Amino acid sequence: TLCPQASLFCRASVVIGAHGSNVANALWMPESSLLIEIHRAASSPGPRYANFWHMSQAVGLRYFLVVAREKFVLEADQIQRIAQAAALHTEETPAVLGEAWN
């Protein structure tokens, strides 16, 4: 339900999540927290990846995008490397970690 989810996100300083409605809970994260979104590579051109970046900018979050070619499973060491790379990103544009996590 909404209250338990909001409670978890409002205490998070870093959230890593697959693209989808669950990432919308980042609205509850404290300002300057880090949202790392994992998204499948687009099969057609267009602004497919911008939704949660715009939301992040509106509520003051740092945002990092990981793009994968197809379904994949991240191992713990890969998640740690993604989080470390994202933590170093300070620009106001979306950072994209290429297709290295397949």
Side-chain angles (χ1 to χ4, degrees):
T1 61
L2 179 61
C3 289
Q5 290 175 9
S7 177
L8 287 172
F9 276 80
C10 78
R11 295 189 314 260
S13 59
V14 177
V15 168
I16 301 174
H19 175 79
S21 59
N22 60 322
V23 178
N25 285 312
L27 285 170
W28 308 112
M29 293 175 70
E31 191 171 334
S32 299
S33 294
L34 176 61
L35 173 60
I36 302 171
E37 179 186 12
I38 303 168
H39 203 301
R40 245 179 340 120
S43 57
S44 59
R48 178 179 297 264
Y49 306 123
N51 299 347
F52 292 112
W53 175 76
H54 286 294
M55 181 195 73
S56 296
Q57 295 304 293
V59 297
L61 301 178
R62 294 180 299 134
Y63 176 83
F64 196 83
L65 175 65
V66 177
V67 178
R69 286 188 209 118
E70 52 191 69
K71 290 183 180 180
F72 65 100
V73 175
L74 291 175
E75 300 295 333
D77 64 320
Q78 292 173 311
I79 293 171
Q80 184 176 10
R81 290 194 317 240
I82 291 168
Q84 289 170 346
L88 296 175
H89 178 70
T90 58
E91 298 175 20
E92 292 185 10
T93 56
V96 177
L97 183 61
E99 299 173 352
W101 306 102
N102 295 308

